[in-house]
Amino acid sequence: MSTYLTTANPIEQLPLAFNGYQFNHCKTLICKNFGSHNPNDYVLQQANKNRPTLVCRECGAFPPLLNNQDVVEEALRYQTQQNGDLPKCTNNACDNKDFSALTHRHLYHAFGFSGDRQRYRCKACDQTFVDRWSGTNNKHLIQQKLLGLLFTGYPVRDICRRLEINPKTFYDQLNHIAARCRRQLALFDERLFKHQHKVQLASNIKALQEKSMNGVLWVASAEAQSGYVVAQHINYQQETVESTKEHHDAYQDTARYMALSTPHQTLTETFIPQGILAQVDTTYRKIFSRSNMENPLTDGRLINYPTKGTLIHPQYTVYSHYLYLKQMFQHSDYLAVFMPQETLLRSACISVFIDHIKKKRIDPVYVLEDEQWIHGDKPDNVDIALLGWWQDRWAFTHLENASKGICHLGGDTSKDRQWLEHATYRAISAYQNRFQDQFSQLINEPRRKLRPAGLLPLLDIYRAWHNLCRQDKYRLTPAQRLGLASSPITLEQLLS
């Protein structure tokens, strides 16, 4: 991804576009100003912080503003984090410096070995480098034992005592395992990104440590039918960045970082709506009550800021998540994205894939279904309702004791029955719930509630294990279901 700053943006009063990206515009599809970057279509003000900065003159919508450069840089940070350990040209002036030798073999020559590790030579600049993870893993036995104990719920202290290692060695080994898992995943991800031309994705966002209230949110996307997880982001980074701006200002540099603010809490909503239509209406009301509709953390909740590292405003994390997906699936002809009723996911998906929406190459769909709903059931009668400030068109159906509702965010009304039958984000929701159940003792450990950094390598390890090792009731892994692998991968193969 290029990070050069564009020339001065001709759009006055809006945050500067960056690398051709401008995410600040009207996001109401039925409005004639949808996607417009003309400042004359909006009322813009910065004098009163309690009023919206941007208001559409046509429909009255007031989408919050974003710093475009921060969105792109956040996507770049995630890409670097995922690919930083992969072998690639080390010459910063080379055109191949961003392309791994594992996924772009045509750019490199295999150039012998350094010990037992593979050496490569770049075809563009003749620079040689070594794949540090290609050699024999002499620690694979202890790492297999470590993972076995971790996956069966042993706390860190017990694992260290059983393996006769200290906590620092434990975390060093965990980071080592995570790096090898990212290397394995890169090979399978590349096959998926290049060869799947019609893709259905399921996205979800939830708190990483629900009991800690530390403001860390976890957004993830998976292939909807197989459950293969393609990307996951959290709005947290280990490096500490001092931020004195208590209120988000999209016109300032590094606007994505959240400042350490005084904890406060408003009254929590105890009312539980009955019926699926009432649930949709209540969710719209809660979203509209936020001070920033695209930031779930502005609903008055208590936030215990992590003692180490820095929180990132969730909207930057989610926008960069979809920007990463757009770049990875650039060879795909069609995308469908199924998501829960969350305005942040909606706005990010629509803004990032706005060209796809105009060309009708993407179907973004809200999905709400009862737990008793059986996936694949054909809908009987379909009821239509316009709900929320946006007058979103929802289609509902009821079968015996279960109900389901969908809302096509692209405005298509011709496939209600198809989406009611097939649209679901259960695959990614189940993945996130399993992770939290599997490592509940580690996640909810009191001293870890304000130190989420220790969970970062675990997220990469679990994604690799879920995609390549975990078998469903038919003894198939998500990678097998997509045709990316012929058989499950053992822990020994994963760590080799």
Side-chain angles (χ1 to χ4, degrees), residues 147-165:
L147 285 185
L149 293 170
L150 197 59
F151 272 68
T152 49
Y154 283 86
V156 176
R157 281 186 178 180
D158 286 355
I159 295 174
C160 292
R161 185 167 60 249
R162 285 172 176 266
L163 299 181
E164 298 180 349
I165 59 176

Side-chain angles (χ1 to χ4, degrees), residues 302-322:
L302 175 70
I303 299 179
N304 299 314
Y305 204 99
T307 54
K308 289 187 176 182
T310 307
L311 284 180
I312 297 166
H313 288 288
Q315 55 268 41
Y316 288 93
T317 301
V318 177
Y319 273 74
S320 64
H321 177 79
Y322 282 115

Side-chain angles (χ1 to χ4, degrees), residues 225 250 387:
Q225 305 308 320
L387 299 171

Side-chain angles (χ1 to χ4, degrees), residues 449-494:
K449 288 185 177 182
L450 299 182
R451 295 171 178 261
L455 299 176
L456 299 185
L458 203 56
L459 286 170
D460 290 328
I461 294 169
Y462 192 76
R463 182 168 89 92
W465 177 82
H466 168 84
N467 286 344
L468 308 177
C469 305
R470 181 184 178 273
Q471 302 174 51
D472 59 18
K473 62 181 180 181
Y474 301 108
R475 297 189 176 183
L476 295 174
T477 66
Q480 284 179 276
R481 286 192 168 277
L482 284 175
L484 305 178
S486 58
S487 62
I489 289 179
T490 65
L491 279 182
E492 183 177 1
Q493 292 172 321
L494 187 64

Side-chain angles (χ1 to χ4, degrees), residues 402-423:
S403 302
K404 183 173 182 177
I406 61 96
C407 173
H408 192 288
L409 304 175
D412 186 1
T413 62
S414 62
K415 299 179 181 178
D416 290 341
R417 290 183 177 275
Q418 175 184 330
W419 299 130
L420 284 168
E421 181 179 352
H422 298 292

Side-chain angles (χ1 to χ4, degrees), residues 33 98 126 222 271 296 298 321 412 487-488:
N33 291 341
D98 295 324
D126 291 333
F271 171 69
T298 60
H321 177 79
D412 186 1
S487 62

